Amino acid sequence: LWLEADPSPPISLALHQRRRGVTMAGKWAWFSGWAAPDPPPASNAATPTDANGKPKKICCACPETKGVRDTCIASKGEEHPECVALIEKHKQCLRAEGFNI
């Protein structure tokens, strides 16, 4: 599109729309009757940080309880009473680290 007020050279309509954030789902939603899903709500909870101020990763938190939990699930199944207790213990550890579980 070439706009008088826009000093940049003309670009294709598709590139123009991608730069503006128009997706095919949003572009054709009126035609197909399909509405794009609402974006997930922004989390109000702050991401936990380590001693250096870097954000903690949930995958790396509580390695002691995570390993025992994973071993139990792999050998006995997620529904086994012992594993259910270990899953809950791991969730408690993650909450203590500051994660919203």
Side-chain angles (χ1 to χ4, degrees), residues 42-87:
S43 175
N44 293 337
T47 304
T49 56
D50 62 9
N52 298 331
K54 294 181 182 179
K56 291 181 182 179
K57 296 180 182 180
I58 196 165
C59 62
C60 302
C62 303
E64 303 84 17
T65 57
K66 181 180 178 182
V68 176
R69 176 205 65 176
D70 291 348
T71 304
C72 182
I73 291 173
S75 63
K76 299 177 184 177
E78 192 173 346
E79 301 297 324
H80 192 274
E82 183 180 329
C83 297
V84 171
L86 292 172
I87 291 169

mmCIF file of all heavy atoms in Angstrom, residues 42-87:
data_model
loop_
_atom_site.group_PDB
_atom_site.id
_atom_site.type_symbol
_atom_site.label_atom_id
_atom_site.label_comp_id
_atom_site.label_asym_id
_atom_site.label_seq_id
_atom_site.Cartn_x
_atom_site.Cartn_y
_atom_site.Cartn_z
ATOM 1 N N ALA A 42 -3.621 -11.616 31.513
ATOM 2 C CA ALA A 42 -2.271 -11.370 32.009
ATOM 3 C C ALA A 42 -2.184 -11.806 33.468
ATOM 4 O O ALA A 42 -3.084 -11.562 34.259
ATOM 5 C CB ALA A 42 -1.918 -9.900 31.877
ATOM 6 N N SER A 43 -1.111 -12.469 33.796
ATOM 7 C CA SER A 43 -0.928 -12.942 35.156
ATOM 8 C C SER A 43 -0.520 -11.783 36.055
ATOM 9 O O SER A 43 0.377 -11.011 35.729
ATOM 10 C CB SER A 43 0.155 -14.027 35.186
ATOM 11 O OG SER A 43 0.408 -14.407 36.506
ATOM 12 N N ASN A 44 -1.197 -11.662 37.172
ATOM 13 C CA ASN A 44 -0.862 -10.609 38.130
ATOM 14 C C ASN A 44 0.259 -11.034 39.064
ATOM 15 O O ASN A 44 0.854 -10.211 39.730
ATOM 16 C CB ASN A 44 -2.098 -10.235 38.957
ATOM 17 C CG ASN A 44 -3.163 -9.581 38.105
ATOM 18 O OD1 ASN A 44 -2.866 -9.034 37.044
ATOM 19 N ND2 ASN A 44 -4.393 -9.645 38.552
ATOM 20 N N ALA A 45 0.519 -12.351 39.113
ATOM 21 C CA ALA A 45 1.543 -12.846 40.015
ATOM 22 C C ALA A 45 2.927 -12.587 39.421
ATOM 23 O O ALA A 45 3.167 -12.805 38.247
ATOM 24 C CB ALA A 45 1.360 -14.343 40.244
ATOM 25 N N ALA A 46 3.812 -12.103 40.232
ATOM 26 C CA ALA A 46 5.178 -11.852 39.784
ATOM 27 C C ALA A 46 5.925 -13.175 39.677
ATOM 28 O O ALA A 46 5.705 -14.100 40.452
ATOM 29 C CB ALA A 46 5.885 -10.929 40.763
ATOM 30 N N THR A 47 6.806 -13.268 38.702
ATOM 31 C CA THR A 47 7.618 -14.464 38.541
ATOM 32 C C THR A 47 8.655 -14.498 39.650
ATOM 33 O O THR A 47 9.343 -13.505 39.882
ATOM 34 C CB THR A 47 8.323 -14.439 37.176
ATOM 35 O OG1 THR A 47 7.337 -14.292 36.164
ATOM 36 C CG2 THR A 47 9.102 -15.713 36.948
ATOM 37 N N PRO A 48 8.786 -15.625 40.342
ATOM 38 C CA PRO A 48 9.788 -15.704 41.403
ATOM 39 C C PRO A 48 11.200 -15.516 40.834
ATOM 40 O O PRO A 48 11.480 -15.927 39.713
ATOM 41 C CB PRO A 48 9.619 -17.104 41.971
ATOM 42 C CG PRO A 48 8.440 -17.705 41.321
ATOM 43 C CD PRO A 48 8.034 -16.846 40.192
ATOM 44 N N THR A 49 12.057 -14.875 41.611
ATOM 45 C CA THR A 49 13.430 -14.646 41.174
ATOM 46 C C THR A 49 14.407 -15.310 42.131
ATOM 47 O O THR A 49 14.107 -15.528 43.299
ATOM 48 C CB THR A 49 13.744 -13.140 41.102
ATOM 49 O OG1 THR A 49 13.477 -12.549 42.372
ATOM 50 C CG2 THR A 49 12.890 -12.460 40.050
ATOM 51 N N ASP A 50 15.606 -15.617 41.603
ATOM 52 C CA ASP A 50 16.628 -16.224 42.447
ATOM 53 C C ASP A 50 17.440 -15.131 43.141
ATOM 54 O O ASP A 50 17.105 -13.954 43.089
ATOM 55 C CB ASP A 50 17.521 -17.160 41.631
ATOM 56 C CG ASP A 50 18.285 -16.439 40.530
ATOM 57 O OD1 ASP A 50 18.270 -15.197 40.491
ATOM 58 O OD2 ASP A 50 18.909 -17.131 39.700
ATOM 59 N N ALA A 51 18.524 -15.515 43.814
ATOM 60 C CA ALA A 51 19.339 -14.572 44.571
ATOM 61 C C ALA A 51 19.982 -13.511 43.673
ATOM 62 O O ALA A 51 20.253 -12.403 44.112
ATOM 63 C CB ALA A 51 20.419 -15.318 45.348
ATOM 64 N N ASN A 52 20.212 -13.843 42.396
ATOM 65 C CA ASN A 52 20.825 -12.901 41.462
ATOM 66 C C ASN A 52 19.808 -11.998 40.784
ATOM 67 O O ASN A 52 20.174 -11.156 39.980
ATOM 68 C CB ASN A 52 21.613 -13.659 40.385
ATOM 69 C CG ASN A 52 22.745 -14.454 40.980
ATOM 70 O OD1 ASN A 52 23.298 -14.080 42.011
ATOM 71 N ND2 ASN A 52 23.089 -15.558 40.342
ATOM 72 N N GLY A 53 18.534 -12.175 41.069
ATOM 73 C CA GLY A 53 17.493 -11.369 40.471
ATOM 74 C C GLY A 53 16.967 -11.920 39.155
ATOM 75 O O GLY A 53 16.121 -11.316 38.528
ATOM 76 N N LYS A 54 17.463 -13.076 38.727
ATOM 77 C CA LYS A 54 16.992 -13.691 37.493
ATOM 78 C C LYS A 54 15.717 -14.469 37.782
ATOM 79 O O LYS A 54 15.565 -15.055 38.859
ATOM 80 C CB LYS A 54 18.045 -14.635 36.923
ATOM 81 C CG LYS A 54 19.304 -13.943 36.471
ATOM 82 C CD LYS A 54 20.279 -14.945 35.891
ATOM 83 C CE LYS A 54 21.563 -14.260 35.471
ATOM 84 N NZ LYS A 54 22.526 -15.233 34.924
ATOM 85 N N PRO A 55 14.770 -14.516 36.827
ATOM 86 C CA PRO A 55 13.537 -15.276 37.048
ATOM 87 C C PRO A 55 13.817 -16.769 37.180
ATOM 88 O O PRO A 55 14.622 -17.323 36.445
ATOM 89 C CB PRO A 55 12.705 -15.005 35.800
ATOM 90 C CG PRO A 55 13.432 -14.024 34.987
ATOM 91 C CD PRO A 55 14.785 -13.829 35.553
ATOM 92 N N LYS A 56 13.150 -17.400 38.141
ATOM 93 C CA LYS A 56 13.284 -18.849 38.322
ATOM 94 C C LYS A 56 12.465 -19.554 37.258
ATOM 95 O O LYS A 56 11.442 -19.058 36.806
ATOM 96 C CB LYS A 56 12.752 -19.265 39.686
ATOM 97 C CG LYS A 56 13.576 -18.811 40.848
ATOM 98 C CD LYS A 56 12.953 -19.314 42.141
ATOM 99 C CE LYS A 56 13.711 -18.838 43.350
ATOM 100 N NZ LYS A 56 13.084 -19.318 44.593
ATOM 101 N N LYS A 57 12.930 -20.731 36.864
ATOM 102 C CA LYS A 57 12.193 -21.566 35.925
ATOM 103 C C LYS A 57 11.555 -22.706 36.704
ATOM 104 O O LYS A 57 12.211 -23.365 37.505
ATOM 105 C CB LYS A 57 13.125 -22.124 34.861
ATOM 106 C CG LYS A 57 13.735 -21.059 33.985
ATOM 107 C CD LYS A 57 14.648 -21.680 32.960
ATOM 108 C CE LYS A 57 15.300 -20.617 32.117
ATOM 109 N NZ LYS A 57 16.197 -21.210 31.106
ATOM 110 N N ILE A 58 10.284 -22.929 36.459
ATOM 111 C CA ILE A 58 9.567 -23.962 37.203
ATOM 112 C C ILE A 58 10.145 -25.345 36.921
ATOM 113 O O ILE A 58 10.117 -26.224 37.782
ATOM 114 C CB ILE A 58 8.056 -23.904 36.901
ATOM 115 C CG1 ILE A 58 7.287 -24.697 37.960
ATOM 116 C CG2 ILE A 58 7.751 -24.373 35.503
ATOM 117 C CD1 ILE A 58 5.810 -24.424 37.974
ATOM 118 N N CYS A 59 10.714 -25.523 35.732
ATOM 119 C CA CYS A 59 11.276 -26.837 35.396
ATOM 120 C C CYS A 59 12.531 -27.153 36.208
ATOM 121 O O CYS A 59 12.895 -28.319 36.348
ATOM 122 C CB CYS A 59 11.610 -26.895 33.907
ATOM 123 S SG CYS A 59 12.856 -25.701 33.390
ATOM 124 N N CYS A 60 13.184 -26.131 36.736
ATOM 125 C CA CYS A 60 14.438 -26.340 37.470
ATOM 126 C C CYS A 60 14.265 -26.239 38.984
ATOM 127 O O CYS A 60 15.216 -26.472 39.727
ATOM 128 C CB CYS A 60 15.480 -25.322 37.006
ATOM 129 S SG CYS A 60 15.800 -25.398 35.237
ATOM 130 N N ALA A 61 13.071 -25.862 39.421
ATOM 131 C CA ALA A 61 12.828 -25.708 40.856
ATOM 132 C C ALA A 61 12.532 -27.076 41.486
ATOM 133 O O ALA A 61 11.981 -27.957 40.854
ATOM 134 C CB ALA A 61 11.647 -24.762 41.084
ATOM 135 N N CYS A 62 12.911 -27.248 42.713
ATOM 136 C CA CYS A 62 12.628 -28.443 43.511
ATOM 137 C C CYS A 62 13.087 -29.741 42.830
ATOM 138 O O CYS A 62 12.290 -30.665 42.623
ATOM 139 C CB CYS A 62 11.144 -28.525 43.842
ATOM 140 S SG CYS A 62 10.494 -27.090 44.707
ATOM 141 N N PRO A 63 14.364 -29.858 42.486
ATOM 142 C CA PRO A 63 14.812 -31.076 41.799
ATOM 143 C C PRO A 63 14.696 -32.329 42.653
ATOM 144 O O PRO A 63 14.513 -33.433 42.121
ATOM 145 C CB PRO A 63 16.269 -30.773 41.452
ATOM 146 C CG PRO A 63 16.694 -29.708 42.402
ATOM 147 C CD PRO A 63 15.456 -28.917 42.710
ATOM 148 N N GLU A 64 14.772 -32.188 43.988
ATOM 149 C CA GLU A 64 14.689 -33.363 44.858
ATOM 150 C C GLU A 64 13.309 -34.008 44.778
ATOM 151 O O GLU A 64 13.182 -35.215 44.588
ATOM 152 C CB GLU A 64 14.990 -32.991 46.318
ATOM 153 C CG GLU A 64 16.341 -32.340 46.540
ATOM 154 C CD GLU A 64 16.334 -30.834 46.281
ATOM 155 O OE1 GLU A 64 15.245 -30.219 46.236
ATOM 156 O OE2 GLU A 64 17.424 -30.279 46.110
ATOM 157 N N THR A 65 12.273 -33.216 44.938
ATOM 158 C CA THR A 65 10.917 -33.769 44.908
ATOM 159 C C THR A 65 10.500 -34.132 43.489
ATOM 160 O O THR A 65 9.734 -35.070 43.294
ATOM 161 C CB THR A 65 9.900 -32.782 45.514
ATOM 162 O OG1 THR A 65 9.965 -31.536 44.799
ATOM 163 C CG2 THR A 65 10.165 -32.546 46.980
ATOM 164 N N LYS A 66 11.024 -33.413 42.518
ATOM 165 C CA LYS A 66 10.670 -33.695 41.121
ATOM 166 C C LYS A 66 11.193 -35.063 40.685
ATOM 167 O O LYS A 66 10.466 -35.839 40.052
ATOM 168 C CB LYS A 66 11.236 -32.608 40.204
ATOM 169 C CG LYS A 66 10.891 -32.803 38.747
ATOM 170 C CD LYS A 66 11.472 -31.696 37.897
ATOM 171 C CE LYS A 66 11.148 -31.927 36.430
ATOM 172 N NZ LYS A 66 11.725 -30.907 35.576
ATOM 173 N N GLY A 67 12.427 -35.375 41.018
ATOM 174 C CA GLY A 67 13.010 -36.657 40.625
ATOM 175 C C GLY A 67 12.275 -37.841 41.236
ATOM 176 O O GLY A 67 11.987 -38.830 40.555
ATOM 177 N N VAL A 68 11.967 -37.752 42.521
ATOM 178 C CA VAL A 68 11.262 -38.833 43.214
ATOM 179 C C VAL A 68 9.856 -38.988 42.634
ATOM 180 O O VAL A 68 9.386 -40.104 42.386
ATOM 181 C CB VAL A 68 11.199 -38.549 44.735
ATOM 182 C CG1 VAL A 68 10.387 -39.595 45.445
ATOM 183 C CG2 VAL A 68 12.596 -38.466 45.308
ATOM 184 N N ARG A 69 9.197 -37.863 42.383
ATOM 185 C CA ARG A 69 7.849 -37.886 41.810
ATOM 186 C C ARG A 69 7.855 -38.539 40.429
ATOM 187 O O ARG A 69 7.036 -39.402 40.136
ATOM 188 C CB ARG A 69 7.320 -36.456 41.711
ATOM 189 C CG ARG A 69 5.970 -36.338 41.036
ATOM 190 C CD ARG A 69 5.756 -34.998 40.435
ATOM 191 N NE ARG A 69 6.707 -34.779 39.334
ATOM 192 C CZ ARG A 69 6.702 -33.704 38.566
ATOM 193 N NH1 ARG A 69 5.843 -32.747 38.789
ATOM 194 N NH2 ARG A 69 7.573 -33.570 37.594
ATOM 195 N N ASP A 70 8.801 -38.138 39.582
ATOM 196 C CA ASP A 70 8.872 -38.675 38.222
ATOM 197 C C ASP A 70 9.162 -40.173 38.212
ATOM 198 O O ASP A 70 8.581 -40.922 37.423
ATOM 199 C CB ASP A 70 9.923 -37.929 37.409
ATOM 200 C CG ASP A 70 9.524 -36.492 37.111
ATOM 201 O OD1 ASP A 70 8.346 -36.130 37.339
ATOM 202 O OD2 ASP A 70 10.404 -35.718 36.674
ATOM 203 N N THR A 71 10.044 -40.613 39.091
ATOM 204 C CA THR A 71 10.365 -42.041 39.186
ATOM 205 C C THR A 71 9.141 -42.840 39.604
ATOM 206 O O THR A 71 8.862 -43.910 39.046
ATOM 207 C CB THR A 71 11.517 -42.270 40.185
ATOM 208 O OG1 THR A 71 12.640 -41.487 39.769
ATOM 209 C CG2 THR A 71 11.899 -43.728 40.264
ATOM 210 N N CYS A 72 8.408 -42.331 40.570
ATOM 211 C CA CYS A 72 7.204 -43.018 41.046
ATOM 212 C C CYS A 72 6.156 -43.109 39.936
ATOM 213 O O CYS A 72 5.572 -44.169 39.709
ATOM 214 C CB CYS A 72 6.626 -42.291 42.264
ATOM 215 S SG CYS A 72 5.183 -43.098 42.965
ATOM 216 N N ILE A 73 5.942 -42.013 39.228
ATOM 217 C CA ILE A 73 4.938 -42.002 38.159
ATOM 218 C C ILE A 73 5.330 -42.969 37.049
ATOM 219 O O ILE A 73 4.479 -43.693 36.516
ATOM 220 C CB ILE A 73 4.746 -40.568 37.621
ATOM 221 C CG1 ILE A 73 4.076 -39.693 38.687
ATOM 222 C CG2 ILE A 73 3.928 -40.570 36.341
ATOM 223 C CD1 ILE A 73 3.999 -38.224 38.329
ATOM 224 N N ALA A 74 6.614 -42.999 36.708
ATOM 225 C CA ALA A 74 7.068 -43.888 35.640
ATOM 226 C C ALA A 74 6.931 -45.362 36.025
ATOM 227 O O ALA A 74 6.626 -46.203 35.173
ATOM 228 C CB ALA A 74 8.521 -43.585 35.295
ATOM 229 N N SER A 75 7.129 -45.691 37.291
ATOM 230 C CA SER A 75 7.098 -47.097 37.691
ATOM 231 C C SER A 75 5.729 -47.571 38.156
ATOM 232 O O SER A 75 5.371 -48.727 37.941
ATOM 233 C CB SER A 75 8.130 -47.356 38.793
ATOM 234 O OG SER A 75 7.814 -46.597 39.948
ATOM 235 N N LYS A 76 4.946 -46.682 38.794
ATOM 236 C CA LYS A 76 3.679 -47.120 39.388
ATOM 237 C C LYS A 76 2.438 -46.480 38.780
ATOM 238 O O LYS A 76 1.333 -46.944 39.013
ATOM 239 C CB LYS A 76 3.697 -46.828 40.890
ATOM 240 C CG LYS A 76 4.807 -47.560 41.620
ATOM 241 C CD LYS A 76 4.833 -47.204 43.076
ATOM 242 C CE LYS A 76 6.021 -47.898 43.745
ATOM 243 N NZ LYS A 76 6.133 -47.520 45.154
ATOM 244 N N GLY A 77 2.620 -45.381 38.079
ATOM 245 C CA GLY A 77 1.464 -44.694 37.492
ATOM 246 C C GLY A 77 1.041 -43.508 38.332
ATOM 247 O O GLY A 77 1.238 -43.466 39.542
ATOM 248 N N GLU A 78 0.456 -42.551 37.665
ATOM 249 C CA GLU A 78 0.087 -41.286 38.310
ATOM 250 C C GLU A 78 -1.003 -41.443 39.372
ATOM 251 O O GLU A 78 -1.079 -40.657 40.316
ATOM 252 C CB GLU A 78 -0.395 -40.314 37.220
ATOM 253 C CG GLU A 78 -0.539 -38.896 37.670
ATOM 254 C CD GLU A 78 -0.854 -37.970 36.516
ATOM 255 O OE1 GLU A 78 -0.706 -38.363 35.354
ATOM 256 O OE2 GLU A 78 -1.251 -36.836 36.809
ATOM 257 N N GLU A 79 -1.856 -42.455 39.250
ATOM 258 C CA GLU A 79 -2.976 -42.630 40.171
ATOM 259 C C GLU A 79 -2.611 -43.402 41.439
ATOM 260 O O GLU A 79 -3.418 -43.488 42.362
ATOM 261 C CB GLU A 79 -4.128 -43.347 39.446
ATOM 262 C CG GLU A 79 -4.631 -42.601 38.214
ATOM 263 C CD GLU A 79 -5.219 -41.240 38.557
ATOM 264 O OE1 GLU A 79 -5.849 -41.101 39.607
ATOM 265 O OE2 GLU A 79 -5.026 -40.315 37.741
ATOM 266 N N HIS A 80 -1.424 -43.963 41.510
ATOM 267 C CA HIS A 80 -0.999 -44.733 42.682
ATOM 268 C C HIS A 80 -0.976 -43.803 43.904
ATOM 269 O O HIS A 80 -0.494 -42.670 43.827
ATOM 270 C CB HIS A 80 0.390 -45.333 42.447
ATOM 271 C CG HIS A 80 0.778 -46.356 43.460
ATOM 272 N ND1 HIS A 80 1.363 -46.010 44.659
ATOM 273 C CD2 HIS A 80 0.656 -47.705 43.452
ATOM 274 C CE1 HIS A 80 1.590 -47.111 45.349
ATOM 275 N NE2 HIS A 80 1.172 -48.156 44.637
ATOM 276 N N PRO A 81 -1.500 -44.262 45.061
ATOM 277 C CA PRO A 81 -1.581 -43.404 46.253
ATOM 278 C C PRO A 81 -0.224 -42.819 46.679
ATOM 279 O O PRO A 81 -0.154 -41.662 47.103
ATOM 280 C CB PRO A 81 -2.143 -44.326 47.336
ATOM 281 C CG PRO A 81 -2.845 -45.415 46.593
ATOM 282 C CD PRO A 81 -2.129 -45.568 45.295
ATOM 283 N N GLU A 82 0.837 -43.598 46.557
ATOM 284 C CA GLU A 82 2.156 -43.095 46.930
ATOM 285 C C GLU A 82 2.573 -41.947 46.005
ATOM 286 O O GLU A 82 3.134 -40.947 46.448
ATOM 287 C CB GLU A 82 3.181 -44.234 46.847
ATOM 288 C CG GLU A 82 4.571 -43.841 47.287
ATOM 289 C CD GLU A 82 5.537 -45.003 47.178
ATOM 290 O OE1 GLU A 82 5.107 -46.159 47.346
ATOM 291 O OE2 GLU A 82 6.720 -44.738 46.923
ATOM 292 N N CYS A 83 2.262 -42.101 44.719
ATOM 293 C CA CYS A 83 2.624 -41.065 43.741
ATOM 294 C C CYS A 83 1.788 -39.801 43.926
ATOM 295 O O CYS A 83 2.294 -38.693 43.752
ATOM 296 C CB CYS A 83 2.462 -41.596 42.323
ATOM 297 S SG CYS A 83 3.556 -42.982 41.954
ATOM 298 N N VAL A 84 0.525 -39.985 44.280
ATOM 299 C CA VAL A 84 -0.340 -38.829 44.526
ATOM 300 C C VAL A 84 0.234 -37.984 45.658
ATOM 301 O O VAL A 84 0.279 -36.751 45.580
ATOM 302 C CB VAL A 84 -1.790 -39.276 44.834
ATOM 303 C CG1 VAL A 84 -2.640 -38.116 45.303
ATOM 304 C CG2 VAL A 84 -2.410 -39.935 43.608
ATOM 305 N N ALA A 85 0.714 -38.648 46.706
ATOM 306 C CA ALA A 85 1.325 -37.934 47.830
ATOM 307 C C ALA A 85 2.601 -37.211 47.400
ATOM 308 O O ALA A 85 2.859 -36.071 47.810
ATOM 309 C CB ALA A 85 1.615 -38.892 48.977
ATOM 310 N N LEU A 86 3.414 -37.859 46.551
ATOM 311 C CA LEU A 86 4.644 -37.234 46.069
ATOM 312 C C LEU A 86 4.355 -36.054 45.144
ATOM 313 O O LEU A 86 5.076 -35.052 45.160
ATOM 314 C CB LEU A 86 5.518 -38.266 45.356
ATOM 315 C CG LEU A 86 6.120 -39.344 46.259
ATOM 316 C CD1 LEU A 86 6.788 -40.422 45.428
ATOM 317 C CD2 LEU A 86 7.110 -38.724 47.235
ATOM 318 N N ILE A 87 3.300 -36.164 44.355
ATOM 319 C CA ILE A 87 2.900 -35.049 43.492
ATOM 320 C C ILE A 87 2.510 -33.853 44.343
ATOM 321 O O ILE A 87 2.902 -32.713 44.069
ATOM 322 C CB ILE A 87 1.747 -35.479 42.556
ATOM 323 C CG1 ILE A 87 2.252 -36.488 41.526
ATOM 324 C CG2 ILE A 87 1.117 -34.276 41.875
ATOM 325 C CD1 ILE A 87 1.149 -37.176 40.735
#
